[in-house]
Amino acid sequence: MHQRGFWSAQIILLMCTETAIVYNLDAYSASMPAWFQKMGYLSVLGLVMGVTIGATLVGGLSSGPLLDRFGIRKVQGASLGIMLVNAVWTAYAQEWIEMMILQSVRDFVCAIGIVACGMRARAILSQNQEEQIKGLGKLNIWSYAASATFAWLGPILVTHNMVLWKWLGAIITFIGLLEVVLNKQPVQIKTEKKNIENFSVWDWDILKLVLPAIGVSIIQGVVNTFIIVDAGVNLGSPVRAAMNIAAGLAGIIVPYMVKKWGDKLVIRSLMSLVVIAVLCLIWPTWYILVFVGLSIGLAQMGINIILTVKRPNTGRSASMHSLVDYGGAAFSSIFWGTVRQLAGITSSYALLLIPALLCFFAFERLFRSKRWLTQE
């Protein structure tokens, strides 16, 4: 079933489905501030965004049991079906509570759909770790390019062409749903015996494998949430842009680095880069903040790609991995807001060294353990 070349028919079809999910995840989320402002509900935007982040986290955690029980095809089809109904309903929404519920449901099923896409990609790609890292890197470039495009397009459509905004999502989602329904190629999840030998199936053991990434996730969440407020638009916006650019470029850079130096040394280097970036946040200038954005984006996505290949390709392991991604960002957005008020802006950024160093320590323990060796 697995294709030797990357651009197989199954990869192209997968990208159609992932594009539909990415549109629902990014275009609508980026549109919310513009929609709430246009409808006169800007005062409740913070509440709505907090609720939707929680829905994304719950969706990521729910994906594992659903995927392992019902399979990728059924779960993806159901997710896209809900997204399609949601998109049509959103076209007629008028009240902020209604939009909050719709956006929460959308983010919940999008998180499930994204996890399913990751498992499907790993099943299609070669089971060789080096080839999987390269393949996931290429898909990562496409995903982030689509994400950036849709996040840019959504608010513009809400402001200038509300009718197109209302129905474009439904059309794109329908195309993704059509691919899942009509594509009869079975998705077979295979985890080679050498990758699971002596590997416990308990969730905590799976979580320990991806735990080193949680420090980077926390830092990325804090910077995403507060940097524009703290540094101003002129300084903060380039950081967000650099973070997304670096995350996309990680798909090119990280596979090359892994091939040249090995995954352990690459992760160690990326986490060292994050520690330096956190220190730089204490003395913000335009050039330093751009470096911070590039460093965090490269590290967050680079480590994510490597650890995705290291863990088993099961719904449960993917679900626990999503806990690290979404949970770290959600925790930092809520908790670090309080830290920032109590300790001050500069001190709160300095305190980010704590999760950065704990992240480094967790990896060093894992690096020396038999667990990592059994994943080779």
Side-chain angles (χ1 to χ4, degrees):
M1 168 184 147
H2 301 294
Q3 305 287 333
R4 290 186 66 84
F6 176 76
W7 294 108
S8 65
Q10 288 302 306
I11 285 291
I12 294 172
L13 291 171
L14 168 64
M15 290 167 71
C16 292
T17 300
E18 183 166 346
T19 298
I21 298 172
V22 168
Y23 183 91
N24 280 269
L25 188 63
D26 291 296
Y28 283 110
S29 295
S31 301
M32 286 299 102
W35 187 90
F36 273 73
Q37 184 176 35
K38 192 165 188 173
M39 302 298 287
Y41 300 126
L42 196 59
S43 60
V44 295
L45 179 61
L47 170 64
V48 172
M49 298 306 288
V51 171
T52 56
I53 288 175
T56 307
L57 174 60
V58 174
L61 290 173
S62 303
S63 60
L66 290 173
L67 288 163
D68 285 341
R69 180 169 182 177
F70 298 107
I72 293 175
R73 187 76 62 195
K74 290 181 180 178
V75 171
Q76 247 185 357
S79 298
L80 283 160
I82 294 172
M83 289 178 210
L84 180 58
V85 173
N86 196 298
V88 175
W89 194 340
T90 298
Y92 296 99
Q94 296 293 325
E95 300 296 328
W96 73 267
I97 294 179
E98 184 181 15
M99 184 61 82
M100 180 178 70
I101 294 172
L102 288 169
Q103 185 64 28
S104 297
V105 172
R106 181 184 294 115
D107 284 352
F108 174 83
V109 294
C110 280
I112 296 174
I114 286 294
V115 172
C117 280
M119 290 183 62
R120 185 175 164 189
R122 290 187 65 189
I124 295 171
L125 295 169
S126 166
Q127 297 304 289
N128 176 271
Q129 286 193 10
E130 182 179 328
E131 293 300 319
Q132 276 205 3
I133 289 177
K134 288 180 181 178
L136 291 176
K138 292 176 181 178
L139 289 174
N140 177 72
I141 296 169
W142 168 265
S143 183
Y144 264 86
S147 174
T149 300
F150 294 148
W152 166 79
L153 181 63
I156 293 176
L157 290 180
V158 169
T159 304
H160 299 290
N161 196 333
M162 183 70 87
V163 174
L164 181 58
W165 176 79
K166 286 180 176 180
W167 296 109
L168 183 61
I171 294 170
I172 293 176
T173 305
F174 178 74
I175 294 173
L177 178 60
L178 203 62
E179 186 277 321
V180 174
V181 172
L182 297 180
N183 184 2
K184 301 301 182 180
Q185 181 72 36
V187 180
Q188 299 176 355
I189 302 298
K190 293 182 179 179
T191 306
E192 296 180 17
K193 184 177 180 181
K194 67 178 182 179
N195 287 336
I196 61 173
E197 186 179 358
N198 299 323
F199 190 93
S200 173
V201 296
W202 293 103
D203 287 350
W204 174 240
D205 287 327
I206 296 171
L207 178 59
K208 284 193 289 187
L209 181 62
V210 297
L211 194 58
I214 197 167
V216 182
S217 177
I218 290 173
I219 293 163
Q220 187 254 1
V222 170
V223 174
N224 261 341
T225 303
F226 296 112
I227 195 65
I228 290 180
V229 175
D230 294 334
V233 175
N234 291 336
L235 288 178
S237 295
V239 179
R240 296 289 299 272
M243 202 177 295
N244 287 328
I245 291 170
L249 290 177
I252 300 173
I253 298 171
V254 170
Y256 172 80
M257 293 171 65
V258 170
K259 184 177 181 179
K260 190 174 182 64
W261 298 314
D263 48 19
K264 302 181 190 71
L265 183 57
V266 171
I267 293 179
R268 180 182 287 163
S269 301
L270 290 174
M271 289 195 295
S272 299
L273 192 63
V274 169
V275 173
I276 296 171
V278 170
L279 287 171
C280 289
L281 282 170
I282 301 173
W283 302 281
T285 66
W286 189 89
Y287 295 104
I288 286 178
L289 288 178
V290 169
F291 165 76
V292 168
L294 292 171
S295 300
I296 294 175
L298 180 64
Q300 194 268 340
M301 186 50 60
I303 293 173
N304 194 16
I305 290 173
I306 295 172
L307 294 181
T308 294
V309 173
K310 298 297 291 185
R311 61 172 173 75
N313 190 21
T314 64
R316 181 164 52 196
S317 70
S319 181
M320 295 307 290
H321 201 155
S322 70
L323 171 63
V324 171
D325 286 340
Y326 299 130
F331 169 81
S332 61
S333 296
I334 297 170
F335 178 75
W336 235 263
T338 303
V339 173
R340 183 168 159 271
Q341 290 181 343
L342 294 176
I345 294 173
T346 302
S347 298
S348 68
Y349 284 118
L351 288 172
L352 284 176
L353 278 172
I354 296 174
L357 292 174
L358 287 176
C359 168
F360 202 113
F361 174 75
F363 171 72
E364 288 300 324
R365 288 293 302 271
L366 180 62
F367 170 73
R368 291 176 172 82
S369 72
K370 187 178 180 181
R371 175 168 311 286
W372 186 277
L373 296 178
T374 61
Q375 299 301 298
E376 297 291 2

